[in-house]
Amino acid sequence: MNVVFKNVSKHFGVINALNDVSFEIKSGDFVFLVGPSGAGKSSILKLVLHQYHPSSGHIYLDGEDIFLHHKSIVDKLRRNIGVIFQDYQLIADKTIEENIALALDINGVPASEIPARVEKVINQVNLNSRRHLFPSQLSGGELQRSALARALAVEPKLILADEPTGNLDPENSWMLIKLLTDINSQNGTTIIMTTHNMDIIQSLNKRIIAVKNGAIATDSQPVVVDIVKVEKTKFKKKLKRK
Amino acid sequence: MNPTQNAWHHIRRSPIQSLVAVLVMTISFLSLNLFVIVSNGMSDVLKYFETKPEITIFLKDGLDKTTVENLQQELTSYPGIREIKFISKDKALSLYKEQNKNNPILTEMVTASILPASFEVSVSNPTVLEQISQNFSAKKDQVDEIIYQKDIIKSLLNWTDIIRKVGIISVSVSTLITFLIISVIIGMKITNRKEEISISRLLGASNFYVKKPFLIEGIIYGLTGGFVGALSAFGLSQFFAKSINHFFSPITFISTNISFYIYLLGLSLALGSMIGFLASWLGAKRYIKF
Ligand SMILES: Nc1ncnc2c1ncn2[C@@H]1O[C@H](COP(=O)(O)OP(=O)(O)OP(=O)(O)O)[C@@H](O)[C@H]1O
Ligand SMILES: [Mg+2]
């Protein structure tokens, strides 16, 4: 899914969360959104999801200005977006399994196919033993993986991952990164991920959009790099973790 | 989880609210059904009197046989007479005893001399009754009282009218209250599930998708209330049917026609699901805006 911001500003009363932000993310891209806390990263993702309305400017998803359209178009777009919310947004009185199943049901997946698809993503994120638990019974990392599982389950065209490794240990962080990069390369799923994790950013060599004080500070395309060098640093890092 | 299971889930999650919803629905439909049953009886009574033009002429005491025979002769001369029944004092007593056989004290006290003899005249053309009534009420020394069906019908109509008005008003008020209560209860349930609804919306659920379980819940309340209400009205009316119908005999005031009750049940179910649906739709419309 192609995402375009054109002179987007977002104010909350006197707070200027975003000021005149413009960028284009092409379908199939994997982009990091970085920046200090309060810079406006989550706001950008929420604007993409239509959770927030821009105060001014335009946002295009696959060339369509979603804010001009009827609500049902927004619903349809949202069904094509998998989101890992910074605060997870899991339903408290549904089990992890039920939370994932709900997302599939909303996406119109036939009831007969839902169990198998839930099973698949739950295994992908290593939560098989926690599937019957409620969100309040899970650790932060487990919640984050549940949110990841739900986002993956619907096989979206765009994944918005808001600080998805915030609560994960290194092993699970890399598991998540592997899942996301695989989906990105195999299915061409567009991925926008906010993170403070410099390890991940450096080892992945993706486009990085840096946000600061509600504006884009830098927008760096992935450098064409020496594969050998990258592999060397990766190897060193892995050694370090062991 | 399909929407019906989801609705069922919601119902069980807040059992007290659900119970209240079903209870008000049931009361509403009980009163509606009873009202229809009574109205139906009233209109049967009316029909009975309307289709049987009759006049009862009560005679003064102590008339001799020839006077009575002359009166009967005179009655026969009117056109369109269907039947003239003379009820003697003794006959009147046996009728009275039959009517009050459960009350031995009364039958002991009353003797043939207290009860008046009478003519029961039925005609095929009601206008003749008018003439008979006029002519016979003039015979003040022979005729004690004339009970004219028209008066009965008039007072019956009066009563029917009052019962209808009271019934319609109370049924409408209870329906309105039910409607509001259901819609407030659904509103409360929606407020309880605000988190789930807003998350579902972020996942791309349409407005209708999140509303559907609540609409189904309202329909379930309506169907349950309609069913239980109609069934209890049926039970209640059949329980009293014997004594009430005996009182109104030969008219069957409380219908014993099973298809009438099946019709009532169908009506209650249809109306119940409609009220439940509209009430929850209103509740959902007020609360689901995000
Ligand atoms: N709903 C809201 N109402 C008021 N202010 C808001 C709202 N959402 C965001 N903001 C403000 O906008 C600014 C940007 O917030 P945002 O969540 O986008 O930051 P962020 O870059 O995601 O930070 P972090 O790294 O801590 O998650 C903050 O100052 C925040 O207080
Ligand atoms: Mg954030």
PDB file of all heavy atoms in Angstrom, chain A residues 12 15 17 36-43 52 86 196, ligand 1:
ATOM      1  N   PHE A  12      -3.311  19.540  18.621  1.00  0.00           N
ATOM      2  CA  PHE A  12      -4.255  19.221  19.705  1.00  0.00           C
ATOM      3  C   PHE A  12      -4.333  20.462  20.565  1.00  0.00           C
ATOM      4  O   PHE A  12      -3.481  20.665  21.429  1.00  0.00           O
ATOM      5  CB  PHE A  12      -3.769  18.038  20.535  1.00  0.00           C
ATOM      6  CG  PHE A  12      -3.627  16.769  19.755  1.00  0.00           C
ATOM      7  CD1 PHE A  12      -2.386  16.353  19.298  1.00  0.00           C
ATOM      8  CD2 PHE A  12      -4.740  15.988  19.474  1.00  0.00           C
ATOM      9  CE1 PHE A  12      -2.250  15.179  18.588  1.00  0.00           C
ATOM     10  CE2 PHE A  12      -4.604  14.809  18.757  1.00  0.00           C
ATOM     11  CZ  PHE A  12      -3.365  14.395  18.307  1.00  0.00           C
ATOM     12  N   ILE A  15      -1.088  22.234  21.423  1.00  0.00           N
ATOM     13  CA  ILE A  15       0.035  21.343  21.105  1.00  0.00           C
ATOM     14  C   ILE A  15       0.110  21.123  19.597  1.00  0.00           C
ATOM     15  O   ILE A  15      -0.864  20.727  18.966  1.00  0.00           O
ATOM     16  CB  ILE A  15      -0.131  19.982  21.805  1.00  0.00           C
ATOM     17  CG1 ILE A  15      -0.239  20.179  23.320  1.00  0.00           C
ATOM     18  CG2 ILE A  15       1.027  19.056  21.455  1.00  0.00           C
ATOM     19  CD1 ILE A  15      -0.605  18.916  24.071  1.00  0.00           C
ATOM     20  N   ALA A  17       1.411  18.680  17.310  1.00  0.00           N
ATOM     21  CA  ALA A  17       2.019  17.353  17.245  1.00  0.00           C
ATOM     22  C   ALA A  17       2.791  17.187  15.948  1.00  0.00           C
ATOM     23  O   ALA A  17       3.878  16.623  15.930  1.00  0.00           O
ATOM     24  CB  ALA A  17       0.953  16.276  17.381  1.00  0.00           C
ATOM     25  N   PRO A  36      12.842  11.341  18.914  1.00  0.00           N
ATOM     26  CA  PRO A  36      12.671  11.335  20.365  1.00  0.00           C
ATOM     27  C   PRO A  36      11.203  11.186  20.772  1.00  0.00           C
ATOM     28  O   PRO A  36      10.300  11.369  19.964  1.00  0.00           O
ATOM     29  CB  PRO A  36      13.223  12.695  20.800  1.00  0.00           C
ATOM     30  CG  PRO A  36      13.215  13.527  19.569  1.00  0.00           C
ATOM     31  CD  PRO A  36      13.355  12.608  18.402  1.00  0.00           C
ATOM     32  N   SER A  37      11.039  10.849  22.014  1.00  0.00           N
ATOM     33  CA  SER A  37       9.692  10.701  22.549  1.00  0.00           C
ATOM     34  C   SER A  37       8.909  12.010  22.395  1.00  0.00           C
ATOM     35  O   SER A  37       9.453  13.084  22.650  1.00  0.00           O
ATOM     36  CB  SER A  37       9.778  10.318  24.031  1.00  0.00           C
ATOM     37  OG  SER A  37       8.496  10.174  24.541  1.00  0.00           O
ATOM     38  N   GLY A  38       7.690  11.895  21.928  1.00  0.00           N
ATOM     39  CA  GLY A  38       6.864  13.083  21.743  1.00  0.00           C
ATOM     40  C   GLY A  38       7.105  13.780  20.427  1.00  0.00           C
ATOM     41  O   GLY A  38       6.545  14.843  20.169  1.00  0.00           O
ATOM     42  N   ALA A  39       7.916  13.173  19.572  1.00  0.00           N
ATOM     43  CA  ALA A  39       8.249  13.814  18.293  1.00  0.00           C
ATOM     44  C   ALA A  39       7.052  13.812  17.339  1.00  0.00           C
ATOM     45  O   ALA A  39       6.930  14.683  16.477  1.00  0.00           O
ATOM     46  CB  ALA A  39       9.424  13.101  17.646  1.00  0.00           C
ATOM     47  N   GLY A  40       6.194  12.822  17.480  1.00  0.00           N
ATOM     48  CA  GLY A  40       5.026  12.769  16.596  1.00  0.00           C
ATOM     49  C   GLY A  40       4.950  11.488  15.777  1.00  0.00           C
ATOM     50  O   GLY A  40       4.161  11.393  14.832  1.00  0.00           O
ATOM     51  N   LYS A  41       5.732  10.480  16.151  1.00  0.00           N
ATOM     52  CA  LYS A  41       5.748   9.226  15.378  1.00  0.00           C
ATOM     53  C   LYS A  41       4.386   8.516  15.439  1.00  0.00           C
ATOM     54  O   LYS A  41       3.813   8.151  14.408  1.00  0.00           O
ATOM     55  CB  LYS A  41       6.842   8.290  15.926  1.00  0.00           C
ATOM     56  CG  LYS A  41       8.232   8.907  15.969  1.00  0.00           C
ATOM     57  CD  LYS A  41       9.258   7.955  16.523  1.00  0.00           C
ATOM     58  CE  LYS A  41       9.037   7.556  17.981  1.00  0.00           C
ATOM     59  NZ  LYS A  41       9.174   8.682  18.943  1.00  0.00           N
ATOM     60  N   SER A  42       3.919   8.330  16.668  1.00  0.00           N
ATOM     61  CA  SER A  42       2.621   7.649  16.808  1.00  0.00           C
ATOM     62  C   SER A  42       1.528   8.438  16.106  1.00  0.00           C
ATOM     63  O   SER A  42       0.612   7.859  15.504  1.00  0.00           O
ATOM     64  CB  SER A  42       2.267   7.475  18.277  1.00  0.00           C
ATOM     65  OG  SER A  42       3.193   6.628  18.908  1.00  0.00           O
ATOM     66  N   SER A  43       1.625   9.754  16.187  1.00  0.00           N
ATOM     67  CA  SER A  43       0.610  10.585  15.536  1.00  0.00           C
ATOM     68  C   SER A  43       0.567  10.313  14.038  1.00  0.00           C
ATOM     69  O   SER A  43      -0.509  10.246  13.447  1.00  0.00           O
ATOM     70  CB  SER A  43       0.891  12.068  15.790  1.00  0.00           C
ATOM     71  OG  SER A  43       0.837  12.320  17.180  1.00  0.00           O
ATOM     72  N   TYR A  52      -6.783   9.630  13.805  1.00  0.00           N
ATOM     73  CA  TYR A  52      -6.770  11.082  13.928  1.00  0.00           C
ATOM     74  C   TYR A  52      -7.090  11.689  12.566  1.00  0.00           C
ATOM     75  O   TYR A  52      -6.769  11.117  11.528  1.00  0.00           O
ATOM     76  CB  TYR A  52      -5.377  11.582  14.325  1.00  0.00           C
ATOM     77  CG  TYR A  52      -4.937  11.302  15.741  1.00  0.00           C
ATOM     78  CD1 TYR A  52      -3.602  11.462  16.097  1.00  0.00           C
ATOM     79  CD2 TYR A  52      -5.846  10.905  16.724  1.00  0.00           C
ATOM     80  CE1 TYR A  52      -3.178  11.217  17.398  1.00  0.00           C
ATOM     81  CE2 TYR A  52      -5.420  10.660  18.026  1.00  0.00           C
ATOM     82  CZ  TYR A  52      -4.092  10.805  18.355  1.00  0.00           C
ATOM     83  OH  TYR A  52      -3.657  10.567  19.628  1.00  0.00           O
ATOM     84  N   GLN A  86       1.083   0.966  20.011  1.00  0.00           N
ATOM     85  CA  GLN A  86       2.063   1.147  21.085  1.00  0.00           C
ATOM     86  C   GLN A  86       1.483   0.658  22.416  1.00  0.00           C
ATOM     87  O   GLN A  86       2.176   0.106  23.241  1.00  0.00           O
ATOM     88  CB  GLN A  86       2.450   2.635  21.184  1.00  0.00           C
ATOM     89  CG  GLN A  86       3.690   2.870  22.012  1.00  0.00           C
ATOM     90  CD  GLN A  86       4.260   4.262  21.811  1.00  0.00           C
ATOM     91  OE1 GLN A  86       3.612   5.142  21.258  1.00  0.00           O
ATOM     92  NE2 GLN A  86       5.483   4.459  22.259  1.00  0.00           N
ATOM     93  N   HIS A 196      12.920   2.922  18.808  1.00  0.00           N
ATOM     94  CA  HIS A 196      14.060   3.594  19.437  1.00  0.00           C
ATOM     95  C   HIS A 196      15.262   2.661  19.441  1.00  0.00           C
ATOM     96  O   HIS A 196      16.312   3.006  19.942  1.00  0.00           O
ATOM     97  CB  HIS A 196      13.732   3.954  20.896  1.00  0.00           C
ATOM     98  CG  HIS A 196      12.674   4.996  21.036  1.00  0.00           C
ATOM     99  ND1 HIS A 196      12.874   6.302  20.664  1.00  0.00           N
ATOM    100  CD2 HIS A 196      11.409   4.933  21.500  1.00  0.00           C
ATOM    101  CE1 HIS A 196      11.774   7.003  20.908  1.00  0.00           C
ATOM    102  NE2 HIS A 196      10.864   6.181  21.410  1.00  0.00           N
TER     103      HIS A 196
HETATM  104  N1  LIG C   1      -4.901  12.677  21.602  1.00  0.00           N
HETATM  105  C1  LIG C   1      -3.993  13.608  21.923  1.00  0.00           C
HETATM  106  N2  LIG C   1      -4.366  14.711  22.596  1.00  0.00           N
HETATM  107  C2  LIG C   1      -3.439  15.663  22.910  1.00  0.00           C
HETATM  108  N3  LIG C   1      -2.177  15.582  22.590  1.00  0.00           N
HETATM  109  C3  LIG C   1      -1.730  14.531  21.900  1.00  0.00           C
HETATM  110  C4  LIG C   1      -2.617  13.478  21.535  1.00  0.00           C
HETATM  111  N4  LIG C   1      -1.914  12.551  20.854  1.00  0.00           N
HETATM  112  C5  LIG C   1      -0.638  12.992  20.815  1.00  0.00           C
HETATM  113  N5  LIG C   1      -0.530  14.166  21.438  1.00  0.00           N
HETATM  114  C6  LIG C   1       0.691  14.943  21.596  1.00  0.00           C
HETATM  115  O1  LIG C   1       1.387  14.997  20.357  1.00  0.00           O
HETATM  116  C7  LIG C   1       2.768  14.864  20.555  1.00  0.00           C
HETATM  117  C8  LIG C   1       3.302  13.720  19.728  1.00  0.00           C
HETATM  118  O2  LIG C   1       2.838  12.509  20.284  1.00  0.00           O
HETATM  119  P1  LIG C   1       3.165  11.093  19.679  1.00  0.00           P
HETATM  120  O3  LIG C   1       2.428  10.077  20.425  1.00  0.00           O
HETATM  121  O4  LIG C   1       2.972  11.144  18.219  1.00  0.00           O
HETATM  122  O5  LIG C   1       4.703  10.990  20.014  1.00  0.00           O
HETATM  123  P2  LIG C   1       5.693   9.789  19.689  1.00  0.00           P
HETATM  124  O6  LIG C   1       6.688  10.322  18.741  1.00  0.00           O
HETATM  125  O7  LIG C   1       4.942   8.596  19.296  1.00  0.00           O
HETATM  126  O8  LIG C   1       6.381   9.575  21.106  1.00  0.00           O
HETATM  127  P3  LIG C   1       6.877   8.193  21.800  1.00  0.00           P
HETATM  128  O9  LIG C   1       8.150   7.833  21.228  1.00  0.00           O
HETATM  129  O10 LIG C   1       6.985   8.564  23.229  1.00  0.00           O
HETATM  130  O11 LIG C   1       5.804   7.187  21.558  1.00  0.00           O
HETATM  131  C9  LIG C   1       2.983  14.661  22.037  1.00  0.00           C
HETATM  132  O12 LIG C   1       3.431  15.875  22.597  1.00  0.00           O
HETATM  133  C10 LIG C   1       1.633  14.295  22.561  1.00  0.00           C
HETATM  134  O13 LIG C   1       1.448  14.795  23.858  1.00  0.00           O
END
